[in-house]
């Protein structure tokens, strides 16, 4: 069987006017048996339709804050937006969703999927949801900073075989209201939804933590990448 080809949303350095990629996103997919491809940053409808049809799955990466306009709010406590990413990722995700293509969201990716499907976000946890849980740790990022509770009947619990998981964390925004088409898979100590899935889709998962930083030392992170890539193989 040919390896699945998986499109990865590019990261953006606005000051340097450049697109770039953390090798760990690509290595996580490669180690799990997929071929990662960094996508062009485009909002052209024909380009996105062709990408959605040609690729076997999509990884929505971390990065800039989601524009609150995606979930019907005005900016209050946000940091830097990336309008180019918002304009690409919203229609691309909708195409992947409509075609039932496998999707994995990480950090910003989780927030983007939730917003596109009708959920909302905390714009800044330190102001809107303060707690003692460390959601924005300092390096090294492969070291866990807090615990999440994993639902034993959800797909993540069935995959990992555990109800408690230590995760790394580097975010200041998070899910406030979960979109109607999504179900939680993991919840943090202070009550935030840290992972979800779409029960009506073949594979739409997202996690708030960073398996791409941890997969070299963490079997649970490798299993998440493995489940995603395995789902993409069915598209071949």
């Amino acid at each position: 069987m040919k390896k699945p080809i998986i499109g990865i949303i590019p990261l953006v350095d606005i000051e340097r006017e450049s697109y770039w990629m953390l090798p760990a996103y690509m290595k996580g997919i490669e180690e799990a048996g997929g071929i990662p491809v960094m996508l062009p940053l485009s909002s052209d409808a024909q380009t996105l339709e062709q990408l959605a049809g040609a690729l076997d799955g999509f990884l929505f990466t971390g990065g800039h804050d989601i524009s609150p306009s995606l979930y019907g709010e005005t900016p209050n406590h946000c940091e830097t937006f990336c309008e180019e990413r918002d304009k690409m990722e919203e229609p691309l995700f909708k195409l992947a969703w409509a075609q039932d293509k496998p999707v994995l969201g990480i950090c910003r990716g989780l927030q983007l999927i939730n917003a596109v499907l009708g959920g909302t976000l905390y714009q800044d946890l330190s102001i809107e949801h303060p707690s003692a849980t460390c959601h924005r740790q300092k390096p090294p990022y492969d070291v866990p900073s807090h615990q999440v509770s994993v639902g034993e009947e959800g797909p993540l619990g069935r995959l990992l075989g555990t109800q408690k998981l230590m995760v790394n964390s580097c975010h200041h925004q998070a899910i406030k209201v979960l979109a109607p088409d999504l179900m939680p898979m993991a919840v943090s100590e202070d009550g935030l939804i840290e992972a979800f899935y779409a029960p009506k889709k073949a594979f739409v998962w997202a996690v708030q933590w960073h398996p791409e930083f941890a997969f070299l030392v963490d079997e649970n992170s490798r299993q998440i990448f493995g489940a995603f890539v395995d789902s993409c193989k069915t598209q071949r």
Side-chain angles (χ1 to χ4, degrees), residues 51-78:
L51 288 171
L55 298 175
D56 300 310
F58 296 90
L59 172 58
F60 285 75
T61 54
H64 295 86
D65 286 0
I66 303 294
S67 172
S69 64
L70 284 182
Y71 48 95
E73 295 184 9
T74 56
N76 288 321
H77 311 298
C78 294

Side-chain angles (χ1 to χ4, degrees), residues 217-232:
V217 297
D218 178 53
E219 176 61 23
N220 293 320
S221 297
R222 289 191 289 272
Q223 288 195 61
I224 290 170
F225 275 115
F228 171 51
V229 172
D230 284 348
S231 72
C232 296

Side-chain angles (χ1 to χ4, degrees), residues 160-187:
L160 303 181
T162 183
Q163 292 179 259
K164 299 293 183 182
L165 187 65
M166 293 299 297
V167 300
N168 54 6
S169 192
C170 188
H171 63 106
H172 82 107
Q173 298 193 317
I175 293 171
K176 183 193 297 183
V177 176
L178 188 65
D181 288 318
L182 303 173
M183 292 289 291
M185 293 197 295
V187 179

Side-chain angles (χ1 to χ4, degrees), residues 17-97:
E17 298 183 340
S18 65
Y19 308 150
W20 63 288
M21 180 54 55
L22 284 168
Y25 285 119
M26 307 190 89
K27 291 294 184 182
I29 289 173
E30 288 181 280
E31 292 289 335
I35 299 174
V37 177
M38 191 178 89
L39 300 181
L41 198 63
S42 172
S43 58
D44 177 73
Q46 183 178 354
T47 298
L48 297 181
E49 287 174 7
Q50 189 167 341
L51 288 171
L55 298 175
D56 300 310
F58 296 90
L59 172 58
F60 285 75
T61 54
H64 295 86
D65 286 0
I66 303 294
S67 172
S69 64
L70 284 182
Y71 48 95
E73 295 184 9
T74 56
N76 288 321
H77 311 298
C78 294
E79 295 181 357
T80 306
F81 308 146
C82 181
E83 188 176 1
E84 288 180 286
R85 286 195 62 173
D86 291 342
K87 287 183 175 180
M88 174 188 179
E89 291 177 62
E90 180 181 12
L92 180 61
F93 174 75
K94 287 180 177 178
L95 287 167
W97 178 268

